[in-house]
Amino acid sequence: AIGSKIVVIFSQFLAWGQLLLIPLDVSLGASSDSNSMQTLYSVVYIVIFVFTSFIIPFNMFLYEADE
């Protein structure tokens, strides 16, 4: 049960982190290297994909089997 709570908290962290990337990107604007922001966006979206495709469904089955 504690693993499920950790997954939920980290999922919320990812959702807020993705949302807060937009103001960060706008505030940095042309002053920073756009390649670093592209890399950051790619990492966040890949982690979100892995969570929604593998970790969360596996955790749901694990949580349901823990009766």
Side-chain angles (χ1 to χ4, degrees), residues 1 3-4 11 17-20 25 28 31-32 37 45-46 49 58-59 61 63 65 67:
S4 298
S11 298
Q18 176 191 5
L19 183 68
L20 293 174
D25 192 11
L28 292 177
S31 65
S32 72
M37 282 305 295
Y45 286 134
I46 288 171
F49 172 75
F58 176 73
N59 200 339
F61 291 125
Y63 184 75
E67 292 181 5

Side-chain angles (χ1 to χ4, degrees), residues 17-39:
Q18 176 191 5
L19 183 68
L20 293 174
L21 275 178
I22 297 169
L24 176 66
D25 192 11
V26 170
S27 69
L28 292 177
S31 65
S32 72
D33 184 21
S34 63
N35 195 16
S36 63
M37 282 305 295
Q38 180 69 28
T39 304

Side-chain angles (χ1 to χ4, degrees), residues 46-61:
I46 288 171
V47 170
I48 288 173
F49 172 75
V50 168
F51 254 74
T52 56
S53 299
F54 303 109
I55 295 176
I56 292 176
F58 176 73
N59 200 339
M60 286 172 49
F61 291 125

